[in-house]
């Protein structure tokens, strides 16, 4: 298995461009199932999770062509199969995103039940309850979700809990349902709005995405379109933290700062100087000492759980004590033990991490456990003295496009060691 070797202590400086957002791209690829024509997706990030989603669609008979502009032309309009097998689902939970589109378009789906994962048990009951309310019949058999419906019927649905992919699944399904669907207690993440924009460009009628209530007037058919994936706010946030922990100065282009309001607020609280334009964010932490910031993760517009591990590193080298409360996932502190092996002083108490800032970190051999945990270990390696080796980096390749190349471009020294 490949590893990353990080020679720490370099201050990051420069400008980088954000890649397309993984968590916007995955539901959009699934949404192509709803279309009667091919859909062109531009600015797809080069990530393992995107490859897995293509593999999944390909296994069901979709035709995916990479054109001369590096855009993907996806024809999912005559699938020969409506099954998502366990081999693929177990490698990527977001495979569940094909459930709603398959039932809406083909009247049936057989999807392996995703199991637990490194960050929590992550059930899909909210997806299934809502799909049943749209009229689907759902049976759980032999580790699979078997869903059938003649035509889904629009209704009023209040989600039992806020779920990002659940909201996306049902928004997609309701686009082809008969009548109108009102969704409340929905996720308001920017990626929900992005998906609604794509679906509307395909001929759907969705209003209110990104707000408290989403209203979907079902249509009979969706058509093809061409759509560019917006920038990845978590990637942008991670590079800003990389600049902060190395007392550097970085400009991230291509990102709308309104997608990171809470993160920017917390970076400013930590002492960073931030300036923004409508599509860029710059951060400078040169000649300054980080201040500790308390954080509570929660659904958008609150502080994103996907930035929690990165902020743990920032707080770990800040001058004082801070508290991080993780309220979205029950087990998202797996990086803490590894960070402590690099000299951090962090104690876990249930869903709270109590972080006592230390003057410096030292390099060590550490192991990635999930995507954002791996990002935090790389950040720690960047500001530690000596060498850090991060193993199991397949986690990072799922969600960060060529991370070592981008960080090296900013002045880091990271080598990818072959297995
Ligand atoms: N939940 C349930 N039942 C459900 C669905 C969710 O109990 O049916 C619980 C989950 O266990 C969790 C909470 O609700 O405790 C929120 O989970 P959510 O469904 O919102 O998460 P998700 O849709 O599976 C997406 C992102 C995650 C991100 C979360 C939260 C994608 C593909 N994934 O996951 O991204 O952390 O929303 O913002 O959009 C990542 O990129 O590293 C990542 C994990």
């Amino acid at each position: 298995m490949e590893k990353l070797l990080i020679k720490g202590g370099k201050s990051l400086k420069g400008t980088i461009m954000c890649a397309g957002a993984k968590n916007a791209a995955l539901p959009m690829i699934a949404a192509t199932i709803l279309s009667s024509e091919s859909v062109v997706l531009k600015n797809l990030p080069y990530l393992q999770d995107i490859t897995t989603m293509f593999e999944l669609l390909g296994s069901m008979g979709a035709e995916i062509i990479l054109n001369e502009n590096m855009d993907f032309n996806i024809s999912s309009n005559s699938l020969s199969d409506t099954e998502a097998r366990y081999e693929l689902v177990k490698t990527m939970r977001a495979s569940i995103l094909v459930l709603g589109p398959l039932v809406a378009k083909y009247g049936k789906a057989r999807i392996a039940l995703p199991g637990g994962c490194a960050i929590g048990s992550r059930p899909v009951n909210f997806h299934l309850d809502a799909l049943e309310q749209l009229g689907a019949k759902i049976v759980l058999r032999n580790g699979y979700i078997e869903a059938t419906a003649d035509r889904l019927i629009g209704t009023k649905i209040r989600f039992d809990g806020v779920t990002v992919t659940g909201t996306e699944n049902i928004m997609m399904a309701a686009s082809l349902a008969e009548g109108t669907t009102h969704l409340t207690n929905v996720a308001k993440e920017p990626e929900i709005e992005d998906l609604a924009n794509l679906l509307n460009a395909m001929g759907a009628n969705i209003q209110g995405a990104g707000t408290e209530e989403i209203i979907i007037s079902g249509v009979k058919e969706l058509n093809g379109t061409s759509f560019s994936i917006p920038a990845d706010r978590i990637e942008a946030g991670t590079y800003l933290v990389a600049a902060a922990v190395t007392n550097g100065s970085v400009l991230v282009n291509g990102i709308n700062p309104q997608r990171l309001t809470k993160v920017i607020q917390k970076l400013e609280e930590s002492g960073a100087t931030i300036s923004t334009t409508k599509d860029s964010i710059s951060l400078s932490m040169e000649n300054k000492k980080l201040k500790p910031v308390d954080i509570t993760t929660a659904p958008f517009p609150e502080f994103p759980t996907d930035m929690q591990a990165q902020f743990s590193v920032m707080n770990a080298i800040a001058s004082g004590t801070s508290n991080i409360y993780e309220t979205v996932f029950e087990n998202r502190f797996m990086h803490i033990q590894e960070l402590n092996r690099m000299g951090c002083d962090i104690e876990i108490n249930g869903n709270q991490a109590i972080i006592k800032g230390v003057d410096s970190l030292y390099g060590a051999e550490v192991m990635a456990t999930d995507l954002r945990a791996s990002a935090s270990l790389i950040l720690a390696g960047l500001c530690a003295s000596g060498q850090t080796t991060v193993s199991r980096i397949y986690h990072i390749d799922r969600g960060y496009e060529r991370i070592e190349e981008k960080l090296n471009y900013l002045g880091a020294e990271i080598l990818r060691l072959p297995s």
Side-chain angles (χ1 to χ4, degrees):
M1 266 188 277
E2 291 182 328
K3 294 179 182 179
L4 289 181
L5 172 72
I6 306 159
K7 295 182 184 170
K10 311 269 184 317
S11 205
L12 300 195
K13 283 189 185 57
T15 303
I16 48 164
M17 185 71 190
C18 231
K22 165 180 84 77
N23 290 348
L26 292 172
M28 287 186 190
I29 297 173
T32 64
I33 294 173
L34 295 163
S35 175
S36 305
E37 296 168 352
S38 61
V39 175
V40 175
L41 292 179
K42 298 165 181 280
N43 197 35
L44 274 172
Y46 175 65
L47 299 172
Q48 186 55 47
D49 272 9
I50 300 297
T51 313
T52 306
M53 198 56 146
F54 278 148
E55 217 178 309
L56 174 57
L57 258 64
S59 75
M60 296 190 291
E63 191 181 81
I64 299 151
I65 299 167
L66 179 61
N67 73 17
E68 63 282 8
N69 301 318
M70 300 301 276
D71 302 329
F72 284 88
N73 191 317
I74 309 166
S75 307
S76 308
N77 44 344
S78 52
L79 298 184
S80 48
D81 196 357
T82 52
E83 176 164 318
R85 280 178 271 281
Y86 182 60
E87 291 78 61
L88 285 170
V89 177
K90 76 174 180 200
T91 64
M92 189 184 67
R93 302 180 52 81
S95 309
I96 190 72
L97 283 164
V98 300
L99 174 65
L102 285 173
V103 178
K105 175 85 182 291
Y106 292 92
K108 60 179 178 156
R110 186 167 185 267
I111 315 288
L113 253 178
C117 83
I119 62 176
S121 60
R122 302 183 75 180
V124 289
N125 53 322
F126 303 153
H127 303 233
L128 303 187
D129 289 352
L131 202 55
E132 275 182 330
Q133 290 179 61
L134 286 176
K137 187 166 173 288
I138 295 180
V139 180
L140 300 183
R141 208 187 333 247
N142 303 332
Y144 277 76
I145 303 160
E146 295 177 358
T148 47
D150 286 338
R151 185 161 182 212
L152 298 172
I153 312 283
T155 185
K156 288 192 174 161
I157 299 171
R158 182 177 166 78
F159 283 95
D160 284 339
V162 177
T163 162
V164 175
T165 48
T167 304
E168 291 164 348
N169 231 335
I170 301 309
M171 207 165 75
M172 290 189 279
S175 293
L176 283 186
E178 191 180 315
T180 302
T181 302
H182 294 250
L183 301 179
T184 51
N185 200 24
V186 287
K188 298 194 277 284
E189 268 63 7
E191 292 75 25
I192 304 286
E193 232 180 310
D194 295 337
L195 177 62
N197 289 340
L198 168 70
L199 292 167
N200 284 340
M202 287 161 65
N205 186 347
I206 303 176
Q207 285 163 38
T211 73
E212 302 294 330
E213 185 179 22
I214 304 176
I215 301 168
I216 306 141
S217 304
V219 295
K220 281 224 164 70
E221 203 176 41
L222 291 176
N223 42 260
T225 190
S226 173
F227 198 88
S228 185
I229 315 292
D232 194 315
R233 63 194 165 102
I234 305 301
E235 188 201 28
T238 304
Y239 290 124
L240 294 174
V241 174
V245 296
T246 60
N247 292 105
S249 162
V250 164
L251 168 69
V252 183
N253 273 326
I255 180 73
N256 174 354
Q258 285 177 356
R259 297 184 165 218
L260 278 168
T261 307
K262 211 62 186 191
V263 170
I264 291 174
Q265 192 186 316
K266 288 291 171 185
L267 286 168
E268 283 178 328
E269 231 179 87
S270 77
T273 304
I274 302 266
S275 60
T276 61
T277 68
K278 64 176 193 342
D279 60 0
S280 76
I281 309 173
S282 75
L283 176 146
S284 173
M285 196 66 208
E286 287 175 303
N287 307 315
K288 290 198 235 176
K289 176 79 187 151
L290 282 161
K291 291 183 234 163
V293 288
D294 289 337
I295 280 162
T296 302
T297 66
F300 194 85
E302 294 307 320
F303 190 91
T305 172
D306 291 343
M307 285 300 300
Q308 179 259 104
Q310 299 88 319
F311 267 66
S312 305
V313 178
M314 235 175 68
N315 278 335
I317 53 165
S319 53
T321 300
S322 55
N323 292 293
I324 292 188
Y325 295 90
E326 172 58 58
T327 76
V328 179
F329 291 110
E330 72 262 32
N331 189 26
R332 214 175 193 183
F333 282 139
M334 299 276 279
H335 48 289
I336 301 294
Q337 293 314 326
E338 294 301 283
L339 290 176
N340 282 346
R341 296 183 53 248
M342 298 178 69
C344 296
D345 182 354
I346 310 177
E347 199 187 308
I348 306 286
N349 180 14
N351 74 338
Q352 177 190 15
I354 304 145
I355 307 179
K356 292 189 183 131
V358 295
D359 285 337
S360 58
L361 305 184
Y362 40 82
E365 285 181 43
V366 289
M367 197 175 75
T369 48
D370 75 80
L371 171 56
R372 308 303 168 187
S374 356
S376 77
L377 299 178
I378 294 173
L379 295 175
L382 289 175
C383 59
S385 60
Q387 294 194 351
T388 298
T389 316
V390 184
S391 57
R392 301 208 177 164
I393 55 161
Y394 52 85
H395 288 294
I396 200 104
D397 293 332
R398 292 184 54 184
Y400 288 90
E401 193 180 79
R402 300 191 307 272
I403 193 163
E404 75 275 21
E405 284 180 31
K406 283 193 172 176
L407 289 170
N408 285 346
Y409 181 71
L410 295 172
E413 207 178 331
I414 308 179
L415 280 175
R416 184 177 284 253
L417 303 177
S419 39

